[in-house]
Amino acid sequence: LICRIERRKNNRLGGEALIRGIMALRKFVTPETGSTNQAIRLFRKICREIPTILTIYDVDMSNREARDVVRKRFQENAHVTDPNTITILCHKGQVGLDEAILQYKTKAQLMAFLEKTEFTEKQIKAMKDPVSRFLAGLDVPDPLAKKM
């Protein structure tokens, strides 16, 4: 895999973000499951389609910024090691990519994926119940944190 990465450095997909994303995937997904290859193939496929999607939806974002967002999204699920869960996540990502290419998604849905919403202090204080704070992504427990 390293040899393939070295050969792809001069390729149009072989940017620094692609290499960082692949290395992040290799660290967290066990190679014996075969899920690593599935996740890497999906990541590369998404990176290949980013310029097309940004053009179709007329998004004012560079390819590098979009690739960084995709890499961060992959890293959010990097703690998952169950092969079945990884397969489901890859399938979900593939369906999302297909919907974006076929223009089944609206620009608002795509922008919600590409840009995280930041809440103001007033909005955070207005969310008093724990369920709305959790759904907004504010009080999400860290799954890797050790409980004492």
Side-chain angles (χ1 to χ4, degrees):
L1 183 66
I2 301 296
C3 296
R4 280 191 237 148
I5 291 173
E6 292 298 323
R7 281 186 285 176
R8 289 184 155 263
K9 278 189 178 177
N10 294 328
N11 193 339
R12 69 180 178 98
L13 295 178
E16 293 296 320
L18 178 66
I19 294 170
R20 284 193 309 258
I22 291 171
M23 293 310 216
L25 288 172
R26 288 188 72 215
K27 277 191 253 179
F28 298 106
V29 182
T30 57
E32 63 268 11
T33 63
S35 301
T36 304
N37 292 334
Q38 187 179 11
I40 289 173
R41 278 195 311 267
L42 177 63
F43 182 77
R44 286 181 177 165
K45 194 172 194 179
I46 291 171
C47 288
R48 255 185 265 126
E49 297 295 336
I50 283 175
T52 306
I53 292 171
L54 294 180
T55 304
I56 289 172
Y57 289 96
D58 193 30
V59 177
D60 188 29
M61 180 182 277
S62 71
N63 293 341
R64 180 175 293 255
E65 291 171 338
R67 205 177 299 137
D68 287 341
V69 170
V70 171
R71 180 178 47 81
K72 286 177 188 173
R73 292 298 180 115
F74 270 82
Q75 286 177 343
E76 286 174 5
N77 293 313
H79 66 279
V80 178
T81 57
D82 180 39
N84 294 331
T85 307
I86 293 170
T87 302
I88 290 170
L89 289 172
C90 287
H91 177 70
K92 192 174 175 185
Q94 181 64 47
V95 168
L97 176 64
D98 291 342
E99 288 176 353
I101 292 171
L102 296 172
Q103 299 181 13
Y104 293 160
K105 288 184 181 248
T106 62
K107 184 174 181 178
Q109 289 172 324
L110 185 69
M111 294 309 292
F113 175 80
L114 292 174
E115 296 178 353
K116 286 241 181 195
T117 305
E118 297 295 328
F119 295 101
T120 63
E121 289 295 323
K122 185 177 179 182
Q123 289 173 325
I124 293 172
K125 288 179 184 175
M127 293 185 239
K128 298 204 185 254
D129 63 308
V131 174
S132 63
R133 292 179 64 83
F134 176 78
L135 292 175
L138 297 175
D139 293 333
V140 179
D142 185 12
L144 300 176
K146 293 184 178 180
K147 296 180 181 179
M148 294 183 183

